[in-house]
Amino acid sequence: MNAEIIAIGSELLTPFHQDTNSLFITEKLNTLGVEVTFKSVVGDSRANLVSVARIALARTDIVIFMGGLGPTEDDLTRESVSEAMRLPLKRDPDLLADLYARFAARRIKMPENNQRQADVLDGAASLPNAKGTAPGQWIDGQYEGRDKFVMLLPGPPYELKPMFEEQCLPRLREKLPPLFIATRTLKVAMMGEGECDSRSAPIYRKYERVQTTVLFKHGEVQLHLRGRASTALEAQDMVEKLAEELEDELGDHVFSTAGESLEQIVGYFLQMRTATLAVAESCTGGLFSQRITSIPGSSRYFLGGVVSYDDEIKKLLVGVPPMLIKEHGAVSKPVAQALAEGIRRKCNSTLGVGITGIAGPGGATDEKPVGLVFIAVTDGRVTDVVERQFPGDRERIRWFASQLALDMVRRKLL
Ligand code: AMP
Ligand code: MG
């Protein structure tokens, strides 16, 4: 079964308030095997609310409204759902008494408006709210002849969360057939989104019960797999099989299958081989070192390095021969190679990495445009040097350079 979430409140349409409730609800629904297929945010307008409610009720089995259950003029959820579902509202005397008692306990006279919070849709069960005055509502009913579960929940997260967890989830669990979701994320380095998708689509299309989403993120392609089945084992099995087939196709471009980052994987590999690493970075200005050392325990394999930004530092601290810089320029294949080999010698590490490039926006020449990067990785016997032309702004170019350097180290260790 699928669910649709509707967040209500004009504040959620401004840049200052985010709909965080739907993330919480999605996570909880997934534990029941329920997939969220639509989410919308609607301002406090009755006409818009009725329209979005009708669309949701017509296409989705579980519809969750949240927000707009307060006592004020702009709290319109009860009335709008009542209109959309053609279920009249009835003022519940017990709820009303409860509301009066709640105010009396705080020695405040209840404003007239609050009476509306005792209005319940015909056939709905009221959901007590331990944290506030707005009770929620649960409807196990029909819309246009089809069975629906509909929930009305308060907007404040500290009210919504316990209500959903303690009152809605158990009801859903009881009503829904058992269904399990298994997930897996494959991460692919240094391959375009297009190529990755054209190679993997023929495979993932065969698995109808696994939803595959391809995302390009942080200079890597991520394949998110989500399988649904009636047992956890079956769901897991489906996802594992697909993951294996995809790995066979994409080969060593796949660097991670359990959510690990590239720097984490490089760390594992270095430890496994009891190898050490040192780096001489120019255009990345320390980003490579920052990423490597963001992993706890990296001191076991990362010895250190030099941010050799200035040519004098390349010569003085990394031992790059001055002639190389003079002949080829600092951004060149031979200098990248000399940086990698020089820093390896100076630090006495297993591997040495050299990074040089033009991050821009200035500094480009006719032969050397912004985004040109050379990266070298050496193990003392063989030095691999790669030349790339990265698109984008300074930040992106530097990120891609660090990504390529990490991936080259990973490949050197395969
Ligand atoms: P309500 O009175 O039910 O409309 O909710 C009002 C309060 O709950 C405001 O502080 C809102 O910013 C907050 N709120 C409402 N909806 C959400 C949401 N979807 N995610 C996070 N906070 C919300
Ligand atoms: Mg509101």
Side-chain angles (χ1 to χ4, degrees), residues 8-12 44 66-70 72 74-77 155-156:
I8 298 149
S10 295
E11 77 278 15
L12 302 171
D44 299 304
M66 39 191 211
L69 293 183
T72 59
D74 64 1
D75 292 307
L76 301 161
T77 305

Side-chain angles (χ1 to χ4, degrees), residues 169-184:
L169 273 185
R171 283 179 160 90
L172 283 172
R173 197 173 288 123
E174 194 190 309
K175 302 273 180 185
L176 298 182
L179 202 60
F180 294 85
I181 293 184
T183 61
R184 204 127 178 65

Side-chain angles (χ1 to χ4, degrees), residues 127-396:
L127 307 173
N129 183 349
K131 303 282 161 72
T133 54
Q137 302 193 30
W138 160 275
I139 302 150
D140 180 351
Q142 286 209 328
Y143 184 77
E144 291 176 346
R146 296 179 53 189
D147 293 339
K148 303 282 159 183
F149 297 113
V150 179
M151 281 149 265
L152 275 58
L153 303 173
Y158 59 92
E159 297 180 24
L160 170 134
K161 287 181 183 181
M163 186 182 289
F164 186 72
E165 217 165 1
E166 291 159 23
Q167 304 188 64
C168 300
L169 273 185
R171 283 179 160 90
L172 283 172
R173 197 173 288 123
E174 194 190 309
K175 302 273 180 185
L176 298 182
L179 202 60
F180 294 85
I181 293 184
T183 61
R184 204 127 178 65
T185 301
L186 301 188
K187 294 187 183 177
V188 177
M190 303 329 284
M191 186 189 268
E193 195 178 9
E195 186 192 342
C196 183
D197 194 51
S198 63
R199 285 173 64 175
S200 34
I203 300 169
Y204 66 67
R205 265 196 231 113
K206 294 186 297 182
Y207 289 76
E208 275 171 10
R209 288 195 298 157
V210 184
Q211 184 200 336
T212 303
T213 315
V214 182
L215 295 177
F216 189 71
K217 218 173 166 184
H218 308 308
E220 62 198 34
V221 183
Q222 302 184 354
L223 293 156
H224 293 267
L225 320 182
R226 288 169 75 81
R228 288 204 279 185
S230 54
T231 69
L233 204 66
E234 199 188 337
Q236 237 153 33
D237 211 46
M238 249 165 19
V239 167
E240 291 309 314
K241 278 213 183 84
L242 173 55
E244 268 171 37
E245 270 200 62
L246 288 171
E247 268 191 86
D248 283 348
E249 169 59 33
L250 299 171
D252 60 14
H253 283 285
V254 177
F255 68 83
S256 148
T257 57
E260 306 96 329
S261 64
L262 189 50
E263 42 273 48
Q264 242 174 330
I265 293 294
V266 166
Y268 287 149
F269 280 14
L270 285 164
Q271 281 196 76
M272 234 154 53
R273 310 264 187 281
T274 52
T276 55
L277 184 66
V279 61
E281 301 186 59
S282 187
C283 71
T284 43
L287 180 59
F288 180 92
S289 306
Q290 194 277 328
R291 290 184 63 184
I292 283 281
T293 55
S294 69
I295 306 303
S298 49
S299 60
R300 284 196 281 272
Y301 48 82
F302 185 63
L303 302 185
V306 174
V307 178
S308 49
Y309 223 51
D310 189 80
D311 288 351
E312 284 311 307
I313 302 300
K314 292 184 181 71
K315 297 173 200 164
L316 205 68
L317 296 186
V318 194
V320 175
M323 271 306 290
L324 278 186
I325 299 180
K326 212 167 157 192
E327 251 178 63
H328 305 278
V331 179
S332 63
K333 220 167 188 169
V335 168
Q337 177 163 358
L339 285 169
E341 290 168 1
I343 199 68
R344 182 182 167 275
R345 252 192 324 272
K346 297 265 183 196
C347 296
N348 199 21
S349 55
T350 322
L351 299 182
V353 177
I355 305 173
T356 179
I358 301 170
T365 63
D366 284 346
E367 311 93 79
K368 295 183 178 177
V370 168
L372 179 68
V373 173
F374 295 91
I375 296 174
V377 177
T378 186
D379 58 8
R381 288 179 307 114
V382 181
T383 305
D384 311 320
V385 194
V386 168
E387 172 183 344
R388 280 294 174 90
Q389 178 65 52
F390 290 124
D393 60 9
R394 186 175 176 82
E395 198 187 340
R396 235 172 112 82

Side-chain angles (χ1 to χ4, degrees), residues 14 20 26 38-39 88 102 118 221 255 259 264 299 342 362 407:
T14 69
T20 52
T26 302
F38 295 95
K39 279 207 283 192
R102 203 179 261 267
V221 183
F255 68 83
Q264 242 174 330
S299 60
D407 196 52

